[in-house]
Amino acid sequence: MKKLIIEGQRKLSGEVKISGAKNSVVALIPATILTSGKCVLEHVPDISDVRILIKMMEQLGSHVTFENEVLTIDNKDVKNVPITEEYASKLRASYYFMGSLLGKYGKAEIAYPGGCIIGSRPIDFHLKSFRKMGTEITDNDGRYEFVAPTLKAVDIFFDVPSVGATINVMIAAVLAKGTTIIRNAAREPEITNVATLLNSMGAKVHGAGTDQITIEGVKELGDGYVEVIPDRIEAGTYVIIGALLGDNLKISNVVTDHIASLLYKLKEAGVKYKVEDNTITISKANHIEPMTIKTTVYPGFPTDLGQPLSTLLTQCDGESLFEETIYENRLRHVPYLNNMGANIKAFDTKAIIEGPTPLKGKKVKATDLRAGASMLVAGMIASGTTEITNIEHLLRGYERIVDKLNKVGANIQLIDEEE
Ligand code: EPZ
């Protein structure tokens, strides 16, 4: 098991460069299955989710090389074999193979997807859409079988603008017969990034990034190319750390529009930062006003930044209100923050956070990826030593996080107890 040991209260200065987006690349890789040609993906982060997806591609017969952030995927020998639980259960995004294998072969067999335990996380929108596209789905206790003799276009309206369902239907629809319309689609930037790859392969996807996407089915696809967008959640996490410990800390390779909701909230609360092109320079704020935060779909405040931001809210001068609206179980980090000295009252998906409270280093646990980020921020502002266990969660979504932070002045050790 891996753990982090953090010596807190180190000022941070220098530059942190943001990596490619996890929630984009985990969709881009399975989407390449749609072509028997070659795809080149640039700015690919070296995170555990990517390593698992490479293994899944190789299980399907794909030839993959990964060097210097460039992933080259050659699918000329790909075969439609079942995606086993061994890999599928390790990450949520394994469900993107449903869309790509169905789109390419009209048939797929996949074990249930995994992912962070932050709520029930059903995939009913995905399954309903595939059924409407003419797919027969059999749920064999732990794995799904999909069969669609002819995948046909669909006109679908999502009850909730789901990121995963929007991308999965988009992927399945590019080779389907006719024109698909996705209404009340999610608008997250990762969706536009996937559409860019699909269109580079010869697909006809229009309107990605808006709430209505149209996909005209085509007969086949060719080689593809895409640059993975910078990770807005990683960027937001470093901005939060900079507001608490920065000394002109530079965060580069950021698409600032993608984190506008966070930047506006911080500005309203009195945090000062400078934006130049794709770089944010930020320093510790001596006084931070309390905030009212309600997580929602893009371009609103992202649920994935809720947990790291809640650590910052413990340092605001007064009472902050926090509400999580996407997942029903995403406050599991709160007891650990309170154990470190915070004053948070949590009720289901809401929390009242009284600040400022000095935090003290303690032994805590990362219950999921972004809870891990909340614990990391807490350990960095706490006095003394913090030990965070279950850190595998954090490493799934933040490339070289210990190196990046130590390079700008943090004091963090990554201990692998197996070694
Ligand atoms: C993606 O998850 C991200 N994961 C999540 O990031 C992120 O929190 C989420 O989008 C919201 O932004 C990846 O991209 C791999 P949804 P996804 O479908 O696609 C409900 C992280 O920390 N819903 O947009 O699974 C669902 O329960 C992770 O990086 C249904 O009811 O999220 C949720 O309440 C965590 N039925 C809401 O919609 C469905 O079929 C939004 O989920 C699908 C979703």
Side-chain angles (χ1 to χ4, degrees):
M1 189 204 35
K2 292 191 173 82
K3 64 181 180 184
L4 288 185
I5 308 283
I6 305 174
E7 296 305 328
Q9 302 186 330
R10 297 295 195 278
K11 270 214 167 167
L12 306 178
S13 53
E15 181 173 339
V16 175
K17 184 169 180 247
I18 298 303
S19 302
K22 170 184 85 79
N23 288 345
S24 190
V25 75
V26 296
L28 293 167
I29 297 173
T32 66
I33 288 286
L34 292 166
T35 179
S36 304
K38 215 182 238 182
C39 291
V40 175
L41 283 55
E42 296 211 7
H43 309 312
V44 172
D46 191 353
I47 50 177
S48 51
D49 278 9
V50 166
R51 294 286 170 181
I52 293 166
L53 284 165
I54 291 173
K55 289 222 173 78
M56 294 170 88
M57 292 296 288
E58 288 167 343
Q59 206 182 34
L60 291 164
S62 183
H63 305 289
V64 182
T65 61
F66 186 21
E67 275 156 37
N68 307 325
E69 301 182 8
V70 179
L71 199 59
T72 306
I73 299 174
D74 185 341
N75 289 337
K76 69 177 184 304
D77 297 323
V78 160
K79 298 219 169 8
N80 189 3
V81 296
I83 302 272
T84 56
E85 198 210 339
E86 180 199 357
Y87 294 127
S89 62
K90 290 225 171 50
L91 73 169
R92 183 123 188 105
S94 59
Y95 58 28
Y96 290 130
F97 284 104
M98 294 174 186
S100 59
L101 290 170
L102 204 48
K104 173 85 178 185
Y105 300 103
K107 197 173 176 306
E109 201 179 311
I110 301 189
Y112 284 4
C116 291
I117 303 161
I118 49 181
S120 55
R121 308 191 78 180
I123 59 168
D124 52 324
F125 303 165
H126 304 238
L127 302 181
K128 183 176 157 191
S129 309
F130 294 144
R131 282 199 179 94
K132 283 197 163 187
M133 296 175 89
T135 310
E136 202 178 300
I137 305 176
T138 320
D139 181 346
N140 298 322
D141 190 26
R143 59 185 176 75
Y144 292 107
E145 268 179 58
F146 301 83
V147 180
T150 312
L151 202 61
K152 54 185 198 311
V154 66
D155 184 337
I156 193 122
F157 189 104
F158 287 142
D159 300 348
V160 174
S162 152
V163 175
T166 299
I167 292 177
N168 230 343
V169 173
M170 195 167 73
I171 290 174
V174 288
L175 291 172
K177 273 200 169 8
T179 299
T180 290
I181 305 178
I182 305 175
R183 299 174 197 273
N184 198 26
R187 293 182 278 161
E188 274 69 1
E190 295 76 24
I191 294 163
T192 311
N193 206 200
V194 175
T196 303
L197 171 67
L198 296 173
N199 287 343
S200 80
M201 293 198 259
K204 294 184 176 164
V205 180
H206 313 288
T210 75
D211 63 0
Q212 183 158 321
I213 301 176
T214 304
I215 305 111
E216 287 170 56
V218 297
K219 288 226 166 1
E220 65 173 345
L221 298 169
D223 293 351
Y225 172 82
V226 73
E227 293 182 9
V228 182
I229 56 172
D231 194 312
R232 61 195 168 96
I233 307 300
E234 183 195 16
T237 306
Y238 282 110
V239 167
I240 289 165
I241 291 171
L244 293 163
L245 293 163
D247 179 8
N248 285 316
L249 179 69
K250 282 190 183 325
I251 302 156
S252 61
N253 193 33
V254 181
V255 180
T256 48
D257 282 352
H258 291 173
I259 52 170
S261 56
L262 170 71
L263 293 175
Y264 275 89
K265 278 289 172 190
L266 291 177
K267 184 176 268 181
E268 276 169 14
V271 175
K272 304 230 172 346
Y273 54 82
K274 202 169 56 185
V275 175
E276 281 159 317
D277 301 329
N278 63 357
T279 298
I280 296 172
T281 306
I282 189 164
S283 293
K284 171 181 167 57
N286 295 321
H287 165 76
I288 308 178
E289 288 287 321
M291 301 177 210
T292 298
I293 301 286
K294 192 173 182 170
T295 68
T296 182
V297 296
Y298 190 84
F301 192 91
T303 171
D304 297 345
L305 284 176
Q307 290 147 299
L309 187 81
S310 64
T311 305
L312 180 144
L313 298 179
T314 67
Q315 303 308 304
C316 292
D317 293 337
E319 183 181 276
S320 294
L321 302 177
F322 178 87
E323 182 179 356
E324 167 59 41
T325 74
I326 305 289
Y327 297 106
E328 65 274 20
N329 187 15
R330 210 169 198 182
L331 295 180
R332 296 197 300 157
H333 58 297
V334 169
Y336 294 103
L337 286 177
N338 282 340
N339 189 16
M340 294 176 80
N343 177 357
I344 307 175
K345 294 184 190 61
F347 322 88
D348 294 335
T349 59
K350 292 188 177 133
I352 299 172
I353 303 171
E354 211 47 71
T357 53
L359 301 185
K360 277 201 181 55
K362 284 273 165 75
K363 205 172 174 176
V364 294
K365 189 172 144 186
T367 51
D368 57 72
L369 165 56
R370 309 303 171 182
S374 162
M375 294 297 105
L376 174 87
V377 180
M380 293 181 72
I381 60 174
S383 57
T385 307
T386 298
E387 179 179 315
I388 311 176
T389 54
N390 256 28
I391 217 66
E392 285 79 2
H393 286 298
L394 185 74
L395 302 178
R396 281 190 42 231
Y398 292 91
E399 186 186 36
R400 289 181 294 104
I401 190 158
V402 175
D403 294 349
K404 287 188 182 185
L405 285 167
N406 284 347
K407 204 184 100 216
V408 294
N411 181 338
I412 306 174
Q413 288 173 65
L414 173 59
I415 313 258
D416 191 340
E417 284 174 332
E418 252 93 61
E419 280 168 6

